[in-house]
Amino acid sequence: AAEAREYEAALNLFKANKLKEAGNAFEAFAKAHPESTLTPNAYYWQANTLSAQRDCKRAIDAYRIVTTKWPQNPKAPDALVGVAACQQELGDAKSARTTLEAVVIKYPDSPAAATAKQRLKK
């Protein structure tokens, strides 16, 4: 229960647009609870806070933790889309395209695959 409250507190910081604090809270949660079922989500949201702060290199690292350690997690396809968005932001269109194609191949039935297909058309 304490674990869930900690995660919710971090999520509430994110919702309040306190990105730096939320990112730190998600990072602390992931370190304190490496085996929690909420840990992949914590890394995903930490990556989103970093991305929103234009820290794409660190965001990609956090997204990749989700896709590497928990490839079957529901957040994994969204994390890959996040990686692609950051790659695009960093001016690496070729890698972004490759990452979006990977989303479509690995997670064809996910909402993230539909997003990836839309972005690939652009």
Side-chain angles (χ1 to χ4, degrees):
E3 190 179 294
R5 278 196 303 276
E6 222 176 292
Y7 176 81
E8 283 299 318
L11 202 52
N12 288 332
L13 287 169
F14 182 80
K15 289 176 185 168
N17 212 28
K18 295 180 178 176
L19 299 175
K20 196 166 181 58
E21 297 93 328
N24 291 338
F26 285 123
E27 186 175 14
F29 178 91
K31 285 193 170 111
H33 308 285
E35 301 304 316
S36 170
T37 56
L38 294 169
T39 301
N41 292 12
Y43 278 114
Y44 173 80
W45 288 110
Q46 179 198 8
N48 278 348
T49 66
L50 292 165
S51 179
Q53 295 172 83
R54 297 266 193 270
D55 190 347
C56 277
K57 284 186 169 48
R58 284 183 57 217
I60 288 172
D61 291 343
Y63 283 131
R64 290 232 186 264
I65 291 170
V66 179
T67 62
T68 307
K69 284 182 86 170
W70 299 281
Q72 301 311 314
N73 186 280
K75 288 284 185 223
D78 296 319
L80 272 180
V81 170
V83 168
C86 282
Q87 289 168 328
Q88 191 74 46
E89 178 84 20
L90 292 168
D92 189 354
K94 189 171 185 277
S95 291
R97 181 166 197 79
T98 302
T99 302
L100 290 171
E101 288 167 349
V103 176
V104 176
I105 293 164
K106 280 182 162 170
Y107 308 102
D109 301 324
S110 68
T115 301
K117 285 176 189 168
Q118 288 293 356
R119 292 190 185 170
L120 284 166
K121 286 180 188 170
K122 291 178 183 171

